[in-house]
Amino acid sequence: MALAHELPIYKATFDLCKEVFTCVRNMPRDVKHTLGEKLMTECADMVVLILRANVSKHKAQHIDELRERLQVVELMFRLLSDMRCIDLRRFAAATVLTATIGKQATGWKKSTAASPAT
């Protein structure tokens, strides 16, 4: 088992977390305290889910929850972009990171399903 902070999915999710915290800092106050806080919580929870999946024998349930939260984060970013609360550059950076995380989570789940249970 690799250390969680060395996993590519952890690094991408941590980068997304940093991007979110930077975006929220510049949002309008009303959005910052509603959608911004929810977005920060979802991203922080995603990092925790990666840590849990890495040490768990039943990784699939944590990976499934991670993928679900990732979809919520993608939806929130799309909404923030449509409302012009974040600029296009930040939205593009977040989209690249969420796509990377999604691909890695899917691959991790497939490799977990393919490996024999211990």
Side-chain angles (χ1 to χ4, degrees), residues 75-93:
L75 174 68
M76 288 182 191
F77 264 111
R78 191 173 309 122
L79 179 60
L80 288 168
S81 177
D82 289 351
M83 293 171 41
R84 304 209 189 287
C85 294
I86 59 171
D87 64 9
L88 190 57
R89 183 179 55 83
R90 295 232 183 254
F91 177 68

Side-chain angles (χ1 to χ4, degrees), residues 26-70:
N26 301 319
M27 286 181 190
R29 181 175 289 166
D30 59 333
V31 177
K32 181 185 295 187
H33 294 295
T34 54
L35 200 53
E37 286 182 9
K38 177 72 173 160
L39 187 58
M40 289 189 301
T41 302
E42 290 290 336
C43 285
D45 288 347
M46 286 171 47
V47 174
V48 171
L49 285 167
I50 291 168
L51 295 173
R52 287 183 179 158
N54 192 48
V55 298
S56 176
K57 289 184 180 181
H58 307 287
K59 296 178 185 326
Q61 65 192 49
H62 298 295
I63 297 170
D64 285 339
E65 188 175 347
L66 170 68
R67 292 168 66 195
E68 179 183 325
R69 287 180 186 266
L70 182 62

Side-chain angles (χ1 to χ4, degrees), residues 2-23:
L3 295 175
H5 65 274
E6 293 176 355
L7 297 172
I9 190 171
Y10 176 88
K11 291 175 183 178
T13 306
F14 197 80
D15 289 345
L16 178 65
C17 227
K18 291 189 295 189
E19 184 71 27
V20 165
F21 278 77
T22 302
C23 285

